[in-house]
Amino acid sequence: MSECGAYSSNFIRQIINKDLASGAHVTIHTRFPPEPNGYLHIGHAKSICLNFGIAKDYQGQCNLRFDDTNPAKEDIEFVESIKEDVNWLGFQWDGAVCYSSDYFDCLHGYAIELIEKGLAYVEELSPEEIRKFRGTLTEAGKYSPYRDRSVEENISLFEKMRNGDFAESKACLRAKIDMTSSFMVMRDPVLYRVRFAKHHKTGDKWCIYPMYDFTHCISDALEGITHSLCTLEFQDNRRLYDWILNNIMIERHPRQYEFSRLNLEYTVMSKRKLSILVSENLVNGWDDPRMPTIAGLRRRGYTPAAIREFCKRIGVTKQDNTIEMSALESCLRDDLNENAPRAMAVLDPVKVVIENYAKDKIEILTVPNHPNRPDMGTREIPFSREIWIEREDFREEANKKYKRLVLGKKVRLRNAYMVKAEHCEKDEDGNITTIFCSYDSETLGKDPIDDHKPKGVIHWVSADAGVEAEIRLYDYLFTEANPNIANNFASLINHKSLIVMRGYVEPSLKIADKERAFQFERIGYFCLDRKDSNEDTLVFNRTVGLRDTWAKMKANH
Ligand code: ATP
Ligand code: MG
């Protein structure tokens, strides 16, 4: 069974199973309908896995449809990024990409049909007045003085709207439903409004644009969607979805089902908010590796498999909840631990000189790419008299618990020899500048004969052959688990969410694939940055640490 397997059932799959069993449907057709007003985020991944996953498992179809009815906010850059992200996640839409704007003519026709049936009217109250007249949850709405216009008058006014004879906000088309309904969406919702904006597909053809509720159900019906899956905030809108389809001459009537949105701790999950972070330069673009966007996660080193696994583990329900970031990270670690090649890098380097090792000698050691996976092959790493080790891996004195390099003691260099620290040099401030060691030439790949096996193993990089690299360490983007509670969510941004280090990496990493994560032994998972890394400068992003240090910190409190 595929990853989003039919056996991993949820309430939507149960509905589908029933519909297939009863013969209500023979095939299943879903759609993923993003509005191209930003990059996709991990919440969208949940919807993508659900819609495309269902189509795949039931041998049905899934459309990619751009819900492009708001020309002011939409952009072709977003259309391209969305297509790329869906493909990168491992899904392919059926047929050509669909656009709601493809149906503008048809939607216009259905609007006229509603007017002719006396079910829609041209409103001339201001948006402010419309809001006031709508009433509240406890108070019924009031009727607009324009509500009872004749069909002929409405037809001619709607035509005027279409011809650009009304300024924006001076007129709109409303459905004539029920101003006393307990569902606010049913209190004569707006179907069309005037917008003098160039549309990325239809250019200047239209100056009236259909609203989401009017567009969505009709687009679903035109495309033959069987199950229209959306998030819970559209629950009430289902009444309107059905009302529109019940009142026009259209062959099919898809059904809408709602599931809960994905919320993740320490981040925000709305394109509007993410776009503020971008426009205010609080991050470096939509694909900043700290962003919860698909493009950001990808640049950070996330794999499509880890994201799909995460969506599978969180499931699809109607319960609103917020998922811990560690749930996402643990899917990634499970994948990378199994599949990421190993490499060595030193982030905070201090020099080690091996005094009894020949000057100018470089030895090439062949080492496995993965400790448990011979199928991943081997690579060559150079060893030399001078190497870098991590500053925190050396102490002049230490107790037995410290299993790294200590003066007078031995430690194994990962994949290489055992060394013993003899003495060290310091600068005027007392910082260690160089550690002098001796090595035992008989210990390459074996333990010493006459000695105890050393407990510690530390990583290293040849100082002669290693390559300098910029290494970017990331932390959560926000300081609060739920940044949405603040009036100004941007004030909760974590100013320490990016720390830049300069270290050294083994030379094999010069030709690493961009975005492919490696395990830097003993440190964490890192990948070459897609944008900022080039032949002259290597830039690595920390994808995720080796362990969930965050959970541990919480547990200790
Ligand atoms: P945003 O508030 O981020 O703009 P949206 O719902 O307006 O989200 P759309 O582009 O309209 O974004 O969404 C496309 C599809 O993705 C919709 O079906 C929507 O319900 C779904 N979706 C969006 N955000 C989430 C989320 N956090 N969890 C699950 N599904 C989501
Ligand atoms: Mg939206």
Side-chain angles (χ1 to χ4, degrees), residues 219-261:
S219 306
D220 282 347
L222 292 172
E223 288 174 16
I225 303 304
T226 53
H227 298 77
S228 179
L229 313 176
C230 65
T231 38
L232 277 176
E233 68 273 21
F234 292 101
Q235 202 154 7
D236 288 353
N237 302 56
R238 189 182 348 115
R239 269 83 192 170
L240 183 51
Y241 187 105
D242 290 335
W243 184 91
I244 293 167
L245 293 181
N246 284 336
N247 284 291
I248 58 175
M249 293 285 289
I250 199 159
E251 210 177 308
R252 289 172 287 221
H253 190 139
R255 296 290 161 190
Q256 175 185 303
Y257 300 96
E258 309 89 21
F259 62 95
S260 62
R261 290 178 88 82

Side-chain angles (χ1 to χ4, degrees), residues 149-174:
R149 290 175 142 155
S150 69
V151 167
E152 292 68 34
E153 195 182 358
N154 280 318
I155 291 282
S156 111
L157 289 171
F158 189 49
E159 186 59 23
K160 275 178 81 179
M161 273 174 68
R162 194 211 159 140
N163 291 337
D165 297 339
F166 282 104
E168 291 185 10
S169 306
K170 291 293 176 203
C172 63
L173 184 73
R174 294 179 77 171

Side-chain angles (χ1 to χ4, degrees), residues 302-317:
Y302 271 77
T303 60
I307 296 175
R308 290 195 304 261
E309 172 64 19
F310 172 69
C311 293
K312 182 177 161 190
R313 287 189 200 171
I314 57 174
V316 176
T317 68

Side-chain angles (χ1 to χ4, degrees), residues 61-173:
Q61 287 184 294
C62 182
N63 291 5
L64 172 63
R65 183 200 312 143
F66 287 102
D67 176 23
D68 55 349
T69 53
N70 187 357
K73 288 203 235 143
E74 292 156 7
D75 199 303
I76 196 77
E77 177 198 348
F78 299 139
V79 169
E80 291 310 318
S81 77
I82 289 170
K83 288 197 266 187
E84 189 176 331
D85 289 349
V86 170
N87 282 154
W88 180 77
L89 279 172
F91 298 105
Q92 180 60 50
W93 49 91
D94 291 278
V97 173
C98 304
Y99 295 85
S100 297
S101 57
D102 293 343
Y103 315 128
F104 279 174
D105 283 309
C106 195
L107 288 159
H108 181 251
Y110 285 120
I112 291 174
E113 182 183 338
L114 286 180
I115 296 173
E116 283 170 346
K117 288 178 171 166
L119 293 173
Y121 61 98
V122 171
E123 174 66 279
E124 287 181 72
L125 289 178
S126 69
E128 181 61 21
E129 287 165 322
I130 293 178
R131 233 186 336 269
K132 272 197 210 141
F133 275 56
R134 184 167 288 138
T136 63
L137 281 174
T138 50
E139 203 183 308
K142 281 193 297 187
Y143 290 103
S144 161
Y146 302 101
R147 200 177 195 257
D148 290 320
R149 290 175 142 155
S150 69
V151 167
E152 292 68 34
E153 195 182 358
N154 280 318
I155 291 282
S156 111
L157 289 171
F158 189 49
E159 186 59 23
K160 275 178 81 179
M161 273 174 68
R162 194 211 159 140
N163 291 337
D165 297 339
F166 282 104
E168 291 185 10
S169 306
K170 291 293 176 203
C172 63
L173 184 73

Side-chain angles (χ1 to χ4, degrees), residues 31-37 39-48 51 67 82 212 216 229-234 259-263 269-272 274:
R31 87 287 170 265
F32 172 63
E35 188 183 347
N37 61 347
Y39 279 58
L40 297 182
H41 50 63
I42 180 87
H44 292 111
K46 174 176 178 176
S47 176
I48 291 170
N51 282 294
D67 176 23
I82 289 170
Y212 170 86
H216 206 82
L229 313 176
C230 65
T231 38
L232 277 176
E233 68 273 21
F234 292 101
F259 62 95
S260 62
R261 290 178 88 82
L262 167 65
N263 301 302
M269 203 73 87
S270 117
K271 278 181 277 167
R272 190 183 62 79
L274 294 173

